[in-house]
Amino acid sequence: MRKSVFIGFLCSIILIASCTSQKKKLAKMHTEDTIVKAQLIQHTKESLLSPYQHVNFQLDLTKNKTAFYGYNTGSKWELWVKTDSTITFKYDGEEMVFSSAKTTEAQDNPVVKYHSKTIVSNPSQPGLKKSITVMIRDEKYLDEIQGTYVPLSVRIEVEDHTNKTTVIYAGGGFYVVNPIIHDIWVLDSMSNVKVSAENFPLGAPRLEFHLDGGKIYGFSGCNEITATFYTIQNQIQLNSEISTLKSCVHVPLEPLFMGALANKRYYYSFEERRLKLKHRDGSILSFKKVD
């Protein structure tokens, strides 16, 4: 009798230990599965982002010395205008590299134009004489496949002088902004007038620039604001969009700061942890970087 009870007790212990071990194994499997699924979801999210929304993609463009990137998801072409005066155009697997690009900017028309007659690489068809003309217009382009807008429209003409043919491509793109801007910047002065507690008693205005989609979040001295930006060569376009509606009569310079963000274009530069925006009328906004 005692022997039977002992055997039963021993079996119970083995069964409990087995169940505990199985639970730990299942818990580990669930944890690992969750990590894998999370990584897969993150990868899927990144793959769905348009180039203009993808921060890591833009950082890679900076590393590769790309000044302007253009593309058309539907037509499967890509364009890189490099800071080393070369243009790389890739269409459906074929890649051509042009050198000595010339740049012009129309005075009365928001167009930047690149042109090159010298092709230095065309692996699939060596010996052909081709030229490329890239026209970048200050107009939004809708990427219909991604369902998002990019700030600039692009028209590309590739001329084959051997066969006397010209192929035209259309799409969108953006100038690659210096990634230093991806930070929080506090207003230091407006046209050499220092920010003080007298003109901004609730705190200095600030702008937080984001590379993903050219978004800006900020504070105008009384109200919270949301804005957008994009760059064209060494100029930056600011567009204020949304602001809270607090009454700010006790913040005398807030309207002036808000006006400076309303569809204004500045030449921008970075100097000693400062962001300087200079308008063609001579006005200057100076921001200092927040640590």
Side-chain angles (χ1 to χ4, degrees):
M1 179 68 178
R2 290 181 178 176
K3 186 175 181 181
S4 298
V5 172
F6 177 74
I7 292 173
F9 177 70
L10 183 61
C11 289
S12 298
I13 293 176
I14 293 172
L15 180 61
I16 292 171
S18 176
C19 290
T20 303
S21 176
Q22 183 67 12
K23 286 181 180 179
K24 288 182 178 179
K25 184 177 180 181
L26 287 173
K28 183 179 179 182
M29 287 176 62
H30 290 323
T31 302
E32 291 176 349
D33 288 346
T34 301
I35 293 173
V36 170
K37 287 179 181 177
Q39 291 174 338
L40 180 61
I41 290 171
Q42 181 63 28
H43 177 74
T44 302
K45 283 183 178 179
E46 289 184 354
S47 66
L48 292 175
L49 292 175
S50 73
Y52 192 53
Q53 296 174 318
H54 203 307
V55 175
N56 288 331
F57 182 82
Q58 294 193 47
L59 293 177
D60 287 341
L61 291 177
T62 302
K63 291 177 184 177
N64 293 328
K65 298 181 179 180
T66 300
F68 177 85
Y69 175 76
Y71 72 102
N72 186 311
T73 308
S75 299
K76 298 180 180 179
W77 62 259
E78 293 179 277
L79 174 84
W80 296 264
V81 178
K82 300 289 190 73
T83 56
D84 62 359
S85 299
T86 62
I87 298 175
T88 300
F89 180 68
K90 187 176 182 179
Y91 172 68
D92 201 20
E94 180 183 359
E95 183 175 295
M96 294 178 286
V97 180
F98 296 84
S99 67
S100 304
K102 294 182 179 180
T103 310
T104 58
E105 185 171 358
Q107 295 297 322
D108 301 321
N109 202 7
V111 174
V112 179
K113 182 178 178 181
Y114 296 90
H115 178 70
S116 177
K117 293 182 179 180
T118 307
I119 184 168
V120 295
S121 176
N122 185 202
S124 62
Q125 294 177 301
L128 288 181
K129 295 181 179 179
K130 292 187 177 184
S131 62
I132 189 169
T133 301
V134 179
M135 285 167 284
I136 301 167
R137 186 176 294 275
D138 190 3
E139 294 177 352
K140 284 185 177 180
Y141 169 77
L142 174 61
D143 182 342
E144 294 181 354
I145 292 180
Q146 297 286 354
T148 57
Y149 282 95
V150 288
L152 304 171
S153 296
V154 187
R155 175 188 168 95
I156 300 170
E157 297 179 3
V158 178
E159 187 175 357
D160 187 331
H161 298 281
T162 303
N163 299 324
K164 296 182 179 180
T165 58
T166 301
V167 182
I168 297 174
Y169 304 86
F174 55 91
Y175 275 92
V176 181
V177 66
N178 190 325
I180 293 175
I181 204 170
H182 189 89
D183 212 320
I184 301 174
W185 302 86
V186 176
L187 184 67
D188 186 47
S189 65
M190 290 195 299
S191 295
N192 297 321
V193 176
K194 277 283 187 180
V195 171
S196 66
E198 183 179 353
N199 47 42
F200 286 105
L202 300 180
R206 64 181 180 273
L207 298 178
E208 182 177 347
F209 291 83
H210 289 253
L211 294 181
D212 50 328
K215 295 185 286 288
I216 301 175
Y217 303 101
F219 173 67
S220 59
C222 179
N223 285 282
E224 300 295 326
I225 57 176
T226 302
T228 60
F229 78 97
Y230 62 90
T231 58
I232 297 182
Q233 298 189 96
N234 61 342
Q235 298 181 60
I236 185 169
Q237 175 73 37
L238 302 178
N239 299 308
S240 58
E241 293 188 347
I242 301 173
S243 170
T244 52
L245 300 175
K246 297 178 184 177
S247 177
C248 305
V249 293
H250 56 298
V251 186
L253 291 187
E254 187 192 40
L256 183 62
F257 179 70
M258 289 293 291
L261 302 182
N263 302 315
K264 292 291 182 69
R265 182 168 296 183
Y266 296 87
Y267 291 95
Y268 74 102
S269 61
F270 300 96
E271 300 174 10
E272 297 180 354
R273 297 177 61 81
R274 274 177 163 72
L275 168 63
K276 288 194 174 182
L277 307 180
K278 184 175 182 179
H279 197 267
R280 60 184 179 183
D281 65 5
S283 60
I284 298 175
L285 298 177
S286 178
F287 297 84
K288 56 185 178 182
K289 190 172 183 178
V290 175
D291 292 325

